């Protein structure tokens, strides 16, 4: 059973997410609830407004943790600044791009943070929706477009909506996990929304290797898709190993300064984590737990 505090936490996320949608009806549809229920919870009603299953579904859609996680502030690292600038340019220009870089530098955090404050931008974790049907229905649901019924109808409704709204952006994280049929459907979606919607693909080196290999093997659609995404791979981290080490340590230092408890040894955190931002989170979480215990 969810408690009142957890429901209030979800309501705060719902309220913050509302600005990204043109109407209450579209927002309600993106959350998978009716407009009447949406109106009730928007007015602060939590008792008997939704089942626990529906509350959990909304929490999942909005990325709300139901446990007592520590507060984590956005740090303006080089990765954060670079990806944010690319996303803003892509969205305003309705241009598409591919970012391929090493893991654990803050790509996903930045993308999720961006969609929280930019209207008509959605984040898709492709590792969770690998087939074309799952992918298209997930994108449709994030925009508040109906995702039930025949696939063709969902696809057509999504395309129509993307061509109707102001500067939509679809961020495709972990894009290398998509099956070939889904990759080819992205080309079709790009064709159908040309100059109307921006598509931003993100992944690690495996995504680059997969696209390059598919083009070399002359697999249908990959050359055209790569062309539509700008014919190049963007990257944040330096290629030189020493420069990359300095880059990662600098990022870890920025994140630690913003989030570590007062008086924490920032240099020690950087040494322990070697610039890995997930490890920075873990180290700071341990520090804050120790502070609470003492």
């Amino acid at each position: 059973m969810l408690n009142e505090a957890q429901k209030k936490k979800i309501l705060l996320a719902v309220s913050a997410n509302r600005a990204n949608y043109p109407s209450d009806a579209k927002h309600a549809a993106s959350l998978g609830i009716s407009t009447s229920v949406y109106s009730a919870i928007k007015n602060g009603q939590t008792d008997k407004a939704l089942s626990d299953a529906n509350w959990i579904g909304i929490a999942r859609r909005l990325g709300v943790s139901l446990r007592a996680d520590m507060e984590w502030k956005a740090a303006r690292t080089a990765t954060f600044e670079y990806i944010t600038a690319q996303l803003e340019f892509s969205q305003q220009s309705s241009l598409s791009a591919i970012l391929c870089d090493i893991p654990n530098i803050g790509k996903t955090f930045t993308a999720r943070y961006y969609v929280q404050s930019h209207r008509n931008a959605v984040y898709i974790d492709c590792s969770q929706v690998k087939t074309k049907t799952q992918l298209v229905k997930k994108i449709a649901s994030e925009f508040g477009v109906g995702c039930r019924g025949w696939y063709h109808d969902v696809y057509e409704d999504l395309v129509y909506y993307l061509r109707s709204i102001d500067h939509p952006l679809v961020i495709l994280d972990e894009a290398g996990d998509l099956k070939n049929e889904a990759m080819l459907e992205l080309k079709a979606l790009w064709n159908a929304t040309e100059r109307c919607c921006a598509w931003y693909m993100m992944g690690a080196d495996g995504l680059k290797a997969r696209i390059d290999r598919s083009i070399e093997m002359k697999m249908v659609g990959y050359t055209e898709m790569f062309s539509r995404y700008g014919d190049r791979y963007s990257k944040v981290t330096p290629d030189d190993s020493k420069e990359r080490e300095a880059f990662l340590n600098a990022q870890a230092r920025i994140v630690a300064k913003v989030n570590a408890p007062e008086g924490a040894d920032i240099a020690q955190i950087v040494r322990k984590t070697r610039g890995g931002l997930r490890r920075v989170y873990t180290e700071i979480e341990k520090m804050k737990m120790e502070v609470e215990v003492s």
Side-chain angles (χ1 to χ4, degrees), residues 184-244:
L184 294 179
E185 202 73 336
L186 286 177
K187 186 191 77 168
L189 283 166
W190 190 99
N191 289 343
T193 60
E194 183 177 3
R195 293 189 294 275
C196 298
C197 180
W199 301 83
Y200 191 86
M201 197 180 291
M202 297 198 311
D205 292 340
L207 172 61
K208 179 179 182 299
R210 175 183 174 181
I211 295 174
D212 288 345
R213 183 174 62 252
S214 298
I215 292 173
E216 184 179 346
M217 294 173 62
K218 302 187 184 305
M219 291 182 66
V220 173
Y222 276 84
T223 299
E224 295 89 340
M225 185 197 68
F226 188 51
S227 173
R228 284 154 175 76
Y229 279 78
D231 263 328
R232 61 185 294 268
Y233 303 104
S234 299
K235 188 179 181 183
V236 189
T237 57
D239 291 324
D240 180 81
S241 59
K242 289 186 177 180
E243 291 180 5
R244 183 167 57 250

Short mmCIF file of all heavy atoms in Angstrom, two decimals, residues 184-244:
data_model
loop_
_atom_site.label_atom_id
_atom_site.label_comp_id
_atom_site.label_asym_id
_atom_site.label_seq_id
_atom_site.Cartn_x
_atom_site.Cartn_y
_atom_site.Cartn_z
N LEU A 184 14.68 0.81 -38.56
CA LEU A 184 14.12 1.20 -39.85
C LEU A 184 12.85 2.03 -39.67
O LEU A 184 12.57 2.92 -40.48
CB LEU A 184 13.83 -0.04 -40.69
CG LEU A 184 15.07 -0.84 -41.12
CD1 LEU A 184 14.66 -2.07 -41.92
CD2 LEU A 184 16.03 0.02 -41.90
N GLU A 185 12.11 1.75 -38.61
CA GLU A 185 10.90 2.55 -38.36
C GLU A 185 11.27 3.98 -37.97
O GLU A 185 10.53 4.92 -38.26
CB GLU A 185 10.06 1.89 -37.27
CG GLU A 185 8.60 2.30 -37.29
CD GLU A 185 7.83 1.69 -38.46
OE1 GLU A 185 8.43 1.33 -39.49
OE2 GLU A 185 6.61 1.59 -38.35
N LEU A 186 12.43 4.15 -37.33
CA LEU A 186 12.89 5.51 -37.01
C LEU A 186 13.17 6.30 -38.29
O LEU A 186 12.92 7.51 -38.35
CB LEU A 186 14.16 5.45 -36.15
CG LEU A 186 13.97 5.03 -34.70
CD1 LEU A 186 15.32 4.94 -34.00
CD2 LEU A 186 13.05 6.01 -33.96
N LYS A 187 13.69 5.62 -39.29
CA LYS A 187 13.88 6.29 -40.58
C LYS A 187 12.54 6.71 -41.17
O LYS A 187 12.38 7.83 -41.68
CB LYS A 187 14.60 5.36 -41.56
CG LYS A 187 14.97 6.03 -42.89
CD LYS A 187 15.43 5.03 -43.93
CE LYS A 187 14.27 4.28 -44.54
NZ LYS A 187 14.61 3.51 -45.75
N ALA A 188 11.55 5.83 -41.08
CA ALA A 188 10.22 6.15 -41.60
C ALA A 188 9.59 7.31 -40.82
O ALA A 188 8.99 8.21 -41.42
CB ALA A 188 9.32 4.91 -41.52
N LEU A 189 9.76 7.30 -39.51
CA LEU A 189 9.22 8.39 -38.69
C LEU A 189 9.91 9.71 -39.03
O LEU A 189 9.26 10.77 -39.09
CB LEU A 189 9.40 8.07 -37.21
CG LEU A 189 8.41 7.07 -36.62
CD1 LEU A 189 8.89 6.58 -35.26
CD2 LEU A 189 7.02 7.70 -36.48
N TRP A 190 11.22 9.66 -39.24
CA TRP A 190 11.94 10.87 -39.64
C TRP A 190 11.38 11.40 -40.97
O TRP A 190 11.13 12.60 -41.12
CB TRP A 190 13.43 10.58 -39.77
CG TRP A 190 14.27 11.81 -39.94
CD1 TRP A 190 14.97 12.46 -38.98
CD2 TRP A 190 14.49 12.55 -41.16
NE1 TRP A 190 15.62 13.57 -39.51
CE2 TRP A 190 15.33 13.63 -40.86
CE3 TRP A 190 14.04 12.39 -42.47
CZ2 TRP A 190 15.74 14.57 -41.81
CZ3 TRP A 190 14.44 13.32 -43.44
CH2 TRP A 190 15.29 14.39 -43.11
N ASN A 191 11.20 10.50 -41.93
CA ASN A 191 10.66 10.91 -43.23
C ASN A 191 9.29 11.55 -43.08
O ASN A 191 8.98 12.55 -43.75
CB ASN A 191 10.55 9.70 -44.16
CG ASN A 191 11.89 9.19 -44.63
OD1 ASN A 191 12.90 9.89 -44.54
ND2 ASN A 191 11.92 7.96 -45.13
N ALA A 192 8.47 10.96 -42.21
CA ALA A 192 7.09 11.44 -42.06
C ALA A 192 7.01 12.76 -41.30
O ALA A 192 6.00 13.47 -41.39
CB ALA A 192 6.25 10.38 -41.36
N THR A 193 8.07 13.10 -40.55
CA THR A 193 8.02 14.32 -39.72
C THR A 193 9.15 15.29 -40.08
O THR A 193 9.54 16.13 -39.28
CB THR A 193 8.13 13.96 -38.23
OG1 THR A 193 9.37 13.27 -37.98
CG2 THR A 193 6.96 13.09 -37.79
N GLU A 194 9.68 15.16 -41.30
CA GLU A 194 10.80 16.00 -41.72
C GLU A 194 10.48 17.48 -41.55
O GLU A 194 9.40 17.95 -41.89
CB GLU A 194 11.14 15.71 -43.19
CG GLU A 194 12.34 16.48 -43.69
CD GLU A 194 12.69 16.14 -45.13
OE1 GLU A 194 11.96 15.32 -45.75
OE2 GLU A 194 13.69 16.68 -45.64
N ARG A 195 11.45 18.20 -40.96
CA ARG A 195 11.36 19.65 -40.69
C ARG A 195 10.27 19.99 -39.67
O ARG A 195 9.95 21.15 -39.48
CB ARG A 195 11.15 20.45 -41.98
CG ARG A 195 12.35 20.41 -42.92
CD ARG A 195 12.18 21.37 -44.08
NE ARG A 195 11.10 20.98 -44.97
CZ ARG A 195 11.22 20.10 -45.96
NH1 ARG A 195 12.39 19.54 -46.19
NH2 ARG A 195 10.19 19.79 -46.72
N CYS A 196 9.69 18.96 -39.04
CA CYS A 196 8.66 19.20 -38.02
C CYS A 196 9.07 18.67 -36.65
O CYS A 196 8.59 19.16 -35.63
CB CYS A 196 7.34 18.52 -38.41
SG CYS A 196 6.62 19.13 -39.93
N CYS A 197 9.95 17.66 -36.61
CA CYS A 197 10.31 17.01 -35.36
C CYS A 197 11.80 16.71 -35.33
O CYS A 197 12.39 16.34 -36.35
CB CYS A 197 9.51 15.70 -35.21
SG CYS A 197 9.86 14.78 -33.69
N ALA A 198 12.41 16.89 -34.18
CA ALA A 198 13.82 16.55 -33.98
C ALA A 198 13.93 15.19 -33.31
O ALA A 198 13.18 14.87 -32.40
CB ALA A 198 14.50 17.61 -33.12
N TRP A 199 14.92 14.40 -33.75
CA TRP A 199 15.18 13.08 -33.19
C TRP A 199 16.63 13.06 -32.74
O TRP A 199 17.54 13.34 -33.53
CB TRP A 199 14.92 11.99 -34.23
CG TRP A 199 13.51 12.00 -34.75
CD1 TRP A 199 13.01 12.80 -35.74
CD2 TRP A 199 12.43 11.19 -34.30
NE1 TRP A 199 11.67 12.53 -35.93
CE2 TRP A 199 11.29 11.55 -35.06
CE3 TRP A 199 12.31 10.19 -33.33
CZ2 TRP A 199 10.05 10.96 -34.88
CZ3 TRP A 199 11.07 9.59 -33.14
CH2 TRP A 199 9.95 9.97 -33.92
N TYR A 200 16.86 12.72 -31.47
CA TYR A 200 18.21 12.75 -30.91
C TYR A 200 18.53 11.38 -30.35
O TYR A 200 17.94 10.94 -29.36
CB TYR A 200 18.31 13.81 -29.81
CG TYR A 200 19.72 14.12 -29.35
CD1 TYR A 200 20.50 15.05 -30.03
CD2 TYR A 200 20.25 13.49 -28.24
CE1 TYR A 200 21.79 15.34 -29.61
CE2 TYR A 200 21.55 13.78 -27.81
CZ TYR A 200 22.30 14.70 -28.50
OH TYR A 200 23.59 14.99 -28.07
N MET A 201 19.47 10.69 -30.99
CA MET A 201 19.82 9.33 -30.62
C MET A 201 21.08 9.33 -29.75
O MET A 201 22.05 10.03 -30.05
CB MET A 201 20.07 8.52 -31.91
CG MET A 201 20.05 7.03 -31.74
SD MET A 201 20.35 6.16 -33.34
CE MET A 201 18.83 6.53 -34.22
N MET A 202 21.05 8.56 -28.66
CA MET A 202 22.20 8.49 -27.76
C MET A 202 22.59 7.03 -27.51
O MET A 202 21.73 6.15 -27.45
CB MET A 202 21.90 9.14 -26.40
CG MET A 202 21.59 10.61 -26.46
SD MET A 202 21.76 11.41 -24.84
CE MET A 202 20.84 10.32 -23.77
N GLY A 203 23.89 6.80 -27.34
CA GLY A 203 24.36 5.47 -27.02
C GLY A 203 25.85 5.48 -26.77
O GLY A 203 26.50 6.53 -26.85
N ALA A 204 26.39 4.32 -26.48
CA ALA A 204 27.83 4.18 -26.26
C ALA A 204 28.49 3.73 -27.57
O ALA A 204 27.89 3.79 -28.64
CB ALA A 204 28.09 3.20 -25.12
N ASP A 205 29.72 3.26 -27.46
CA ASP A 205 30.47 2.88 -28.66
C ASP A 205 29.79 1.77 -29.45
O ASP A 205 29.96 1.67 -30.66
CB ASP A 205 31.88 2.43 -28.27
CG ASP A 205 32.73 3.58 -27.73
OD1 ASP A 205 32.37 4.74 -28.01
OD2 ASP A 205 33.72 3.31 -27.03
N GLY A 206 29.01 0.95 -28.76
CA GLY A 206 28.32 -0.14 -29.44
C GLY A 206 27.33 0.35 -30.49
O GLY A 206 27.14 -0.30 -31.52
N LEU A 207 26.69 1.50 -30.24
CA LEU A 207 25.75 2.06 -31.21
C LEU A 207 26.49 2.47 -32.48
O LEU A 207 26.04 2.18 -33.59
CB LEU A 207 25.03 3.26 -30.60
CG LEU A 207 24.14 4.07 -31.55
CD1 LEU A 207 23.02 3.22 -32.13
CD2 LEU A 207 23.57 5.30 -30.84
N LYS A 208 27.62 3.14 -32.31
CA LYS A 208 28.42 3.56 -33.46
C LYS A 208 28.89 2.35 -34.26
O LYS A 208 28.80 2.32 -35.49
CB LYS A 208 29.63 4.38 -33.00
CG LYS A 208 30.55 4.85 -34.12
CD LYS A 208 31.69 5.66 -33.56
CE LYS A 208 32.60 6.18 -34.67
NZ LYS A 208 33.23 5.09 -35.45
N ALA A 209 29.39 1.34 -33.55
CA ALA A 209 29.88 0.14 -34.22
C ALA A 209 28.76 -0.56 -34.99
O ALA A 209 28.98 -1.04 -36.11
CB ALA A 209 30.49 -0.82 -33.20
N ARG A 210 27.58 -0.59 -34.41
CA ARG A 210 26.45 -1.26 -35.07
C ARG A 210 26.06 -0.53 -36.35
O ARG A 210 25.84 -1.16 -37.39
CB ARG A 210 25.26 -1.31 -34.12
CG ARG A 210 24.02 -1.89 -34.77
CD ARG A 210 22.84 -1.88 -33.85
NE ARG A 210 21.64 -2.32 -34.53
CZ ARG A 210 20.44 -2.39 -33.97
NH1 ARG A 210 20.30 -2.06 -32.70
NH2 ARG A 210 19.40 -2.78 -34.68
N ILE A 211 25.95 0.79 -36.29
CA ILE A 211 25.56 1.56 -37.47
C ILE A 211 26.62 1.44 -38.56
O ILE A 211 26.31 1.20 -39.73
CB ILE A 211 25.31 3.03 -37.10
CG1 ILE A 211 24.10 3.15 -36.16
CG2 ILE A 211 25.07 3.87 -38.37
CD1 ILE A 211 23.86 4.55 -35.62
N ASP A 212 27.89 1.60 -38.17
CA ASP A 212 28.98 1.50 -39.14
C ASP A 212 29.01 0.12 -39.80
O ASP A 212 29.19 0.00 -41.02
CB ASP A 212 30.32 1.78 -38.47
CG ASP A 212 30.51 3.25 -38.11
OD1 ASP A 212 29.74 4.08 -38.63
OD2 ASP A 212 31.41 3.55 -37.31
N ARG A 213 28.86 -0.92 -38.99
CA ARG A 213 28.87 -2.29 -39.52
C ARG A 213 27.70 -2.52 -40.48
O ARG A 213 27.85 -3.14 -41.53
CB ARG A 213 28.83 -3.28 -38.37
CG ARG A 213 28.92 -4.75 -38.80
CD ARG A 213 29.02 -5.68 -37.61
NE ARG A 213 27.87 -5.60 -36.74
CZ ARG A 213 27.86 -5.03 -35.54
NH1 ARG A 213 28.96 -4.48 -35.05
NH2 ARG A 213 26.74 -5.01 -34.81
N SER A 214 26.53 -2.00 -40.10
CA SER A 214 25.33 -2.19 -40.93
C SER A 214 25.47 -1.46 -42.27
O SER A 214 25.04 -1.98 -43.31
CB SER A 214 24.09 -1.68 -40.18
OG SER A 214 23.90 -2.42 -38.99
N ILE A 215 26.10 -0.29 -42.24
CA ILE A 215 26.33 0.45 -43.48
C ILE A 215 27.34 -0.29 -44.35
O ILE A 215 27.17 -0.43 -45.57
CB ILE A 215 26.81 1.88 -43.17
CG1 ILE A 215 25.67 2.70 -42.53
CG2 ILE A 215 27.29 2.58 -44.44
CD1 ILE A 215 26.08 4.06 -42.05
N GLU A 216 28.41 -0.78 -43.72
CA GLU A 216 29.44 -1.52 -44.46
C GLU A 216 28.88 -2.77 -45.11
O GLU A 216 29.27 -3.14 -46.23
CB GLU A 216 30.58 -1.88 -43.50
CG GLU A 216 31.76 -2.56 -44.18
CD GLU A 216 32.88 -2.88 -43.19
OE1 GLU A 216 32.85 -2.35 -42.06
OE2 GLU A 216 33.77 -3.68 -43.56
N MET A 217 27.93 -3.41 -44.41
CA MET A 217 27.32 -4.64 -44.94
C MET A 217 26.17 -4.34 -45.90
O MET A 217 25.50 -5.25 -46.39
CB MET A 217 26.82 -5.50 -43.78
CG MET A 217 27.92 -6.04 -42.89
SD MET A 217 27.26 -6.89 -41.42
CE MET A 217 26.34 -8.24 -42.19
N LYS A 218 25.94 -3.03 -46.13
CA LYS A 218 24.88 -2.58 -47.04
C LYS A 218 23.50 -3.07 -46.61
O LYS A 218 22.66 -3.45 -47.44
CB LYS A 218 25.17 -3.01 -48.48
CG LYS A 218 26.51 -2.49 -49.02
CD LYS A 218 26.68 -2.80 -50.48
CE LYS A 218 28.06 -2.37 -50.97
NZ LYS A 218 28.37 -0.96 -50.71
N MET A 219 23.27 -3.07 -45.29
CA MET A 219 21.94 -3.43 -44.78
C MET A 219 20.95 -2.34 -45.14
O MET A 219 21.25 -1.14 -45.05
CB MET A 219 22.00 -3.65 -43.27
CG MET A 219 22.78 -4.89 -42.87
SD MET A 219 22.78 -5.19 -41.08
CE MET A 219 21.04 -5.54 -40.79
N VAL A 220 19.78 -2.75 -45.53
CA VAL A 220 18.76 -1.83 -46.03
C VAL A 220 18.43 -0.77 -44.98
O VAL A 220 18.16 -1.08 -43.81
CB VAL A 220 17.47 -2.59 -46.40
CG1 VAL A 220 16.35 -1.62 -46.76
CG2 VAL A 220 17.73 -3.54 -47.55
N GLY A 221 18.48 0.49 -45.40
CA GLY A 221 17.98 1.59 -44.57
C GLY A 221 18.99 2.31 -43.72
O GLY A 221 18.76 3.46 -43.32
N TYR A 222 20.13 1.68 -43.42
CA TYR A 222 21.05 2.29 -42.46
C TYR A 222 21.79 3.50 -43.02
O TYR A 222 22.00 4.49 -42.31
CB TYR A 222 22.04 1.24 -41.94
CG TYR A 222 21.47 0.44 -40.79
CD1 TYR A 222 20.67 -0.68 -41.03
CD2 TYR A 222 21.71 0.81 -39.47
CE1 TYR A 222 20.13 -1.42 -39.99
CE2 TYR A 222 21.19 0.07 -38.42
CZ TYR A 222 20.40 -1.03 -38.68
OH TYR A 222 19.87 -1.76 -37.64
N THR A 223 22.19 3.45 -44.27
CA THR A 223 22.86 4.61 -44.87
C THR A 223 21.92 5.81 -44.88
O THR A 223 22.32 6.93 -44.53
CB THR A 223 23.30 4.29 -46.31
OG1 THR A 223 24.23 3.21 -46.28
CG2 THR A 223 23.97 5.51 -46.95
N GLU A 224 20.68 5.58 -45.26
CA GLU A 224 19.70 6.66 -45.29
C GLU A 224 19.42 7.19 -43.90
O GLU A 224 19.30 8.41 -43.69
CB GLU A 224 18.39 6.17 -45.93
CG GLU A 224 18.52 5.78 -47.40
CD GLU A 224 18.91 4.32 -47.58
OE1 GLU A 224 19.45 3.71 -46.62
OE2 GLU A 224 18.69 3.79 -48.69
N MET A 225 19.30 6.28 -42.93
CA MET A 225 19.02 6.73 -41.56
C MET A 225 20.16 7.57 -41.02
O MET A 225 19.96 8.63 -40.42
CB MET A 225 18.81 5.52 -40.64
CG MET A 225 18.41 5.90 -39.23
SD MET A 225 18.65 4.55 -38.05
CE MET A 225 20.43 4.42 -38.01
N PHE A 226 21.40 7.11 -41.24
CA PHE A 226 22.57 7.86 -40.75
C PHE A 226 22.61 9.25 -41.38
O PHE A 226 22.93 10.24 -40.71
CB PHE A 226 23.84 7.08 -41.08
CG PHE A 226 25.09 7.65 -40.47
CD1 PHE A 226 25.14 7.96 -39.12
CD2 PHE A 226 26.22 7.88 -41.25
CE1 PHE A 226 26.30 8.49 -38.55
CE2 PHE A 226 27.37 8.40 -40.69
CZ PHE A 226 27.41 8.71 -39.34
N SER A 227 22.28 9.33 -42.65
CA SER A 227 22.24 10.62 -43.33
C SER A 227 21.21 11.55 -42.70
O SER A 227 21.47 12.75 -42.51
CB SER A 227 21.90 10.42 -44.82
OG SER A 227 21.70 11.65 -45.47
N ARG A 228 20.06 11.01 -42.35
CA ARG A 228 19.01 11.83 -41.77
C ARG A 228 19.36 12.31 -40.36
O ARG A 228 18.81 13.31 -39.88
CB ARG A 228 17.70 11.04 -41.75
CG ARG A 228 17.04 10.96 -43.14
CD ARG A 228 16.15 9.73 -43.27
NE ARG A 228 15.44 9.70 -44.54
CZ ARG A 228 15.99 9.39 -45.71
NH1 ARG A 228 17.27 9.10 -45.77
NH2 ARG A 228 15.26 9.37 -46.81
N TYR A 229 20.27 11.59 -39.69
CA TYR A 229 20.70 11.99 -38.36
C TYR A 229 22.01 12.80 -38.38
O TYR A 229 22.70 12.88 -37.39
CB TYR A 229 20.86 10.76 -37.47
CG TYR A 229 19.53 10.29 -36.89
CD1 TYR A 229 18.64 9.57 -37.66
CD2 TYR A 229 19.18 10.58 -35.57
CE1 TYR A 229 17.42 9.15 -37.15
CE2 TYR A 229 17.97 10.16 -35.05
CZ TYR A 229 17.10 9.44 -35.84
OH TYR A 229 15.88 9.02 -35.32
N GLY A 230 22.30 13.38 -39.53
CA GLY A 230 23.40 14.33 -39.59
C GLY A 230 24.70 13.81 -40.17
O GLY A 230 25.68 14.56 -40.28
N ASP A 231 24.77 12.52 -40.52
CA ASP A 231 25.97 11.94 -41.14
C ASP A 231 27.22 12.02 -40.26
O ASP A 231 28.35 11.98 -40.78
CB ASP A 231 26.28 12.65 -42.48
CG ASP A 231 25.72 11.87 -43.67
OD1 ASP A 231 25.69 10.63 -43.59
OD2 ASP A 231 25.32 12.50 -44.65
N ARG A 232 27.05 12.14 -38.96
CA ARG A 232 28.22 12.19 -38.09
C ARG A 232 27.82 11.79 -36.67
O ARG A 232 26.64 11.81 -36.32
CB ARG A 232 28.85 13.59 -38.05
CG ARG A 232 27.93 14.68 -37.53
CD ARG A 232 28.55 16.07 -37.61
NE ARG A 232 29.69 16.19 -36.73
CZ ARG A 232 29.61 16.64 -35.47
NH1 ARG A 232 28.44 17.00 -34.96
NH2 ARG A 232 30.69 16.72 -34.71
N TYR A 233 28.83 11.43 -35.87
CA TYR A 233 28.61 11.10 -34.48
C TYR A 233 29.16 12.23 -33.61
O TYR A 233 30.32 12.63 -33.78
CB TYR A 233 29.31 9.80 -34.10
CG TYR A 233 28.91 8.60 -34.93
CD1 TYR A 233 29.76 8.12 -35.93
CD2 TYR A 233 27.70 7.95 -34.71
CE1 TYR A 233 29.42 7.02 -36.68
CE2 TYR A 233 27.35 6.84 -35.47
CZ TYR A 233 28.21 6.38 -36.46
OH TYR A 233 27.86 5.29 -37.21
N SER A 234 28.35 12.71 -32.69
CA SER A 234 28.85 13.70 -31.73
C SER A 234 29.51 12.98 -30.57
O SER A 234 29.18 11.83 -30.26
CB SER A 234 27.69 14.55 -31.20
OG SER A 234 27.07 15.25 -32.26
N LYS A 235 30.43 13.67 -29.91
CA LYS A 235 31.14 13.08 -28.78
C LYS A 235 31.60 14.19 -27.85
O LYS A 235 31.96 15.28 -28.31
CB LYS A 235 32.36 12.28 -29.28
CG LYS A 235 33.06 11.48 -28.21
CD LYS A 235 34.22 10.69 -28.79
CE LYS A 235 34.90 9.87 -27.71
NZ LYS A 235 36.09 9.15 -28.21
N VAL A 236 31.60 13.91 -26.54
CA VAL A 236 32.00 14.91 -25.56
C VAL A 236 33.42 14.64 -25.06
O VAL A 236 34.24 15.56 -24.96
CB VAL A 236 31.04 14.92 -24.34
CG1 VAL A 236 31.33 16.10 -23.45
CG2 VAL A 236 29.60 14.93 -24.79
N THR A 237 33.71 13.40 -24.74
CA THR A 237 34.99 13.09 -24.09
C THR A 237 36.16 13.13 -25.09
O THR A 237 35.99 12.77 -26.26
CB THR A 237 34.95 11.69 -23.46
OG1 THR A 237 34.62 10.73 -24.47
CG2 THR A 237 33.92 11.63 -22.35
N PRO A 238 37.34 13.55 -24.66
CA PRO A 238 38.52 13.58 -25.53
C PRO A 238 38.97 12.16 -25.90
O PRO A 238 38.75 11.21 -25.15
CB PRO A 238 39.59 14.28 -24.68
CG PRO A 238 38.84 14.95 -23.57
CD PRO A 238 37.62 14.12 -23.32
N ASP A 239 39.62 12.03 -27.05
CA ASP A 239 40.13 10.73 -27.48
C ASP A 239 41.42 10.35 -26.75
O ASP A 239 41.64 9.18 -26.44
CB ASP A 239 40.38 10.74 -28.99
CG ASP A 239 39.10 10.81 -29.79
OD1 ASP A 239 38.09 10.20 -29.34
OD2 ASP A 239 39.07 11.48 -30.83
N ASP A 240 42.26 11.33 -26.48
CA ASP A 240 43.51 11.07 -25.79
C ASP A 240 43.25 10.58 -24.37
O ASP A 240 42.44 11.16 -23.63
CB ASP A 240 44.36 12.34 -25.75
CG ASP A 240 45.68 12.13 -25.04
OD1 ASP A 240 46.60 11.61 -25.66
OD2 ASP A 240 45.76 12.50 -23.85
N SER A 241 43.92 9.51 -23.95
CA SER A 241 43.63 8.88 -22.66
C SER A 241 43.90 9.81 -21.48
O SER A 241 43.11 9.86 -20.53
CB SER A 241 44.43 7.59 -22.51
OG SER A 241 45.82 7.85 -22.59
N LYS A 242 45.00 10.56 -21.53
CA LYS A 242 45.32 11.46 -20.42
C LYS A 242 44.33 12.62 -20.37
O LYS A 242 43.89 13.03 -19.28
CB LYS A 242 46.75 11.99 -20.56
CG LYS A 242 47.81 10.93 -20.28
CD LYS A 242 49.21 11.52 -20.29
CE LYS A 242 50.26 10.47 -19.95
NZ LYS A 242 51.64 11.03 -19.96
N GLU A 243 43.99 13.15 -21.53
CA GLU A 243 43.00 14.23 -21.57
C GLU A 243 41.63 13.74 -21.10
O GLU A 243 40.91 14.45 -20.41
CB GLU A 243 42.90 14.79 -22.99
CG GLU A 243 44.13 15.56 -23.45
CD GLU A 243 43.97 16.09 -24.86
OE1 GLU A 243 42.85 15.94 -25.43
OE2 GLU A 243 44.93 16.67 -25.39
N ARG A 244 41.30 12.48 -21.47
CA ARG A 244 40.01 11.92 -21.05
C ARG A 244 39.97 11.72 -19.54
O ARG A 244 38.96 12.01 -18.89
CB ARG A 244 39.75 10.59 -21.77
CG ARG A 244 38.41 9.98 -21.43
CD ARG A 244 38.03 8.86 -22.38
NE ARG A 244 39.02 7.80 -22.40
CZ ARG A 244 39.83 7.53 -23.42
NH1 ARG A 244 39.79 8.26 -24.51
NH2 ARG A 244 40.70 6.53 -23.34
#
